[in-house]
Every structure is written in structure tokens, then in C-alpha cells.
Amino acid sequence: MERLQKYMAGLGIDSRRNCELLIAQGRVTVEGRVAVLGERVEPGVTHVCLDGEPLENYSREDLVYIMLYKPAGYVTTVQDEYDRATVLELVSDVLERIVPVGRLDLDTEGLLLLTNDGELTYRLTHPRFGVEKEYVAKVKNLPGPAELDQLRKGIRLEDGLTSPAKVDILPNGLVRLVIHEGRKHQVKRMLAAVGCPVLALRRTRFGSLSLRGLHRGEYRRLNDSEIRELKDMCSSAQRQRT
Ligand code: URA
């Protein structure tokens, strides 16, 4: 048995959160009665409809997983209200309706995943699953031992204490920071809080995926073993946290 919203997301209907909304709006029925949020269904057996249509009738796009080396200057959104260039324009020859997994700031470059797999997007962005993200930052002042220590313990920001980061200074004078949360401007705010404002930021790793082999603006589809690794990583990251 599986929770209804998870089952729907797994079928590619929408993200888990959006499926919860569909259920809350009373648009989903289970065996002919209006579904209740959180109820469990038997995949492939329970008769589930969305807006009166059996879920099987929703043409399910093939799931695609794209890794992009986002250059600075592109907004991480599907459509920008100010008409700025979006990351979707960089992958315009992908025909499936993919969306970015999480966000990189306009001036941040680096690894961005895009997919139409709502369930994986949920897992990769929810703090519960604690997927590691590695960033390399050029900073105005290098952190000393006291600042490194603060970053390793957690920094008090206006939206609360951050989890401890892994941090070190690379031989080329850049700061490498590994975090598993995804708050807005988190890396910039953490480094600014210890007196080391960020001048340039690149995400070099997202869980098991690294940027290796890609140049700025390039993208490629993940292969089956990379997809499997990403999914496994979410499960093991959750296990470590519980
Ligand atoms: N942290 C930031 O400050 N910016 C990003 O784009 C990503 C993480």
C-alpha cells in the first residue's frame, strides 16, 4: 500500500505537493468516493481518478533527467515575469516538460538538475532527505580558523540556525562548502555572516552527480546508473537522518 499523493507523483501526474493540493481540492476519487489526504492505495489495483479520468488515462511522459552546467545570467524558473533568460532556454531541444530541481541564483553557475519526475524532485529538494550540495566560492576575505569553525558548527541566520557545513580552503584559494539544506541564498548568507562575502559561486556537486565533463551552458541526459544512484542516495540520506 502506498500513500495516494506518493502514488500519483510516482506516475508522473505532478509533484507530490501538487498532488496533495489536487486531493485537498476534492478532484481525486478512490473507488468512486472523494479521496482523503494521506489515504493509502494499492498501486495498480485501487481505482483512482483525477477529474473523473482514471489515472492510467493521463498520458504519462517518459521520465527524463537532465544535468545542466548553468552559466551565470540565467534565471532558474520555467517562465520569468521580467522576461529574463531562463535555464529552460538552454535545454530548449528537450521536448518533455521538465522543471528545475531547486534553484540557483541568477549570478550563480554550476550543476542544475531538470526533470519531469515529480517524486524525485520532491525527494531531492526536501530537507528530510538531506542530499549534499557542494559549492565552490570566491570570497572577498578568506575565512580563518575561527570562521571555519563557526561554519562547521552552524551559522545563526535570520531564518534560524543552519546545519553544520563541511568546509575547507582549496589550494587555489577558493572556499569549498558542502551543505544539505537549500535555503534561499544560503551559501552567500553563511559566508557573509562570518565576514567573507561571496564574489562568485559555483555548484560543483549535487548528491552523486558532479559537473565533470560538462562546459558552461552544456547539458546531457543522465544514464540509468546515475538515475539509480540519485534515487538510492535519497533513501540512504533519509535513513541516516532517522
Ligand atoms: N546558495 C546561494 O547563496 N546561492 C545559490 O545559488 C545556491 C546556494
Side-chain angles (χ1 to χ4, degrees), residues 103-105 108 135 185-188 201:
R103 222 167 254 271
L104 289 179
D105 295 337
T108 299
Y135 295 88
H185 311 312
Q186 181 162 345
V187 173
K188 291 177 187 165
L201 187 62

Side-chain angles (χ1 to χ4, degrees), residues 191-210:
L191 285 164
V194 294
C196 311
V198 170
L199 302 174
L201 187 62
R202 179 188 311 147
R203 180 154 70 195
T204 47
R205 184 165 66 81
F206 189 106
S208 47
L209 297 173
S210 88

